[in-house]
Amino acid sequence: MSGNDDAGNNDVGNNDTAEARQRRLHDNLAQTKARIAQAAQEAGRDAEEITLLPVTKFHPAEAIAALAGLGETDVAENREQEARSKAEQLPDVRFHMIGQVQTKKANSVARWAYSVHSVDSAKLADALDRGVGLAIEREQRPADFVLPVFLQLSVDGDASRGGLPADELSELADHVVKLEHLELAGVMVVPPLEADAAAVFRAARGLCDDLATRVGRRLRLSAGMSADLNEAIAAGSDIVRVGTGIMGKRPVAF
């Protein structure tokens, strides 16, 4: 499973008029924000502390532009080539990488991503750092740009899904904080399908807080999708990644 969101209900259908699709997108977004507010209230938290990151994988640039028109100018993508193309078409939208990144693609990701939620090795961190430095040299990034990165926690050790085990987080965190063009932003986790999501989120929050003590500043937890959003917020997630709950199950045609 990647960092994408796979649960939702209100599709933004391809056969609707543009006006109807925009209205459905508006409604889906409002419903998702209402869910976040309710979950925050139940957890005794301030909903303003929680960032919603819409996942727009497989949806066209026109749909993302419509989302930006509703005020959501930060979105998440899973695939480098698809995200790069959309970023070129929509320079006013900030794209965040939540999928696995191959080291050979890090140079490209560093040119368009505004954060990377899936760093799981020093090799990848180094490649992203070099990529940002090169982008700055080529004036593709501002001179003071720093790329926020989240360390992806693996709960089950499944290498195909990316991430690293809990006992390796501290070493990688120490490495990242020494890099010139990266900023350690926090921890990201996706619970395995068979896992107790609430328990996974609580453990990830604890690990994130341990790292925060280690580096001397607060770090954020990126956790929770449509199906487990409530559990993630109750455990202290700062960023929830919601795809089909906002965009619908099928690609949006505008």
Side-chain angles (χ1 to χ4, degrees), residues 73-145:
T73 54
D74 284 80
V75 301
E77 289 278 335
N78 287 67
R79 302 181 180 221
E80 192 282 324
Q81 186 174 357
E82 179 183 351
R84 171 165 35 93
S85 174
K86 292 174 181 177
E88 290 170 353
Q89 297 175 66
L90 301 169
D92 294 329
V93 175
R94 290 159 47 103
F95 288 84
H96 302 257
M97 183 60 164
I98 62 173
Q100 289 182 263
V101 180
Q102 295 178 328
T103 303
K104 65 181 180 181
K105 297 289 185 68
N107 187 56
S108 178
V109 170
R111 295 200 302 269
W112 58 260
Y114 279 86
S115 72
V116 176
H117 290 230
S118 50
V119 172
D120 59 4
S121 70
K123 182 179 180 181
L124 175 57
D126 289 343
L128 288 169
D129 185 63
R130 288 193 299 271
V132 174
L134 185 59
I136 291 172
E137 288 179 16
R138 295 178 176 177
E139 299 184 348
Q140 297 168 321
R141 290 290 205 184
D144 60 351
F145 180 80

Side-chain angles (χ1 to χ4, degrees), residues 38 54 100 160 220 236 238:
Q38 180 65 31
Q100 289 182 263
S160 68
R220 293 175 292 164
D238 301 291

Side-chain angles (χ1 to χ4, degrees), residues 196-212:
D196 178 345
V200 169
F201 294 142
R202 288 193 298 269
R205 179 75 261 178
L207 290 166
C208 188
D209 291 342
D210 288 345
L211 290 182

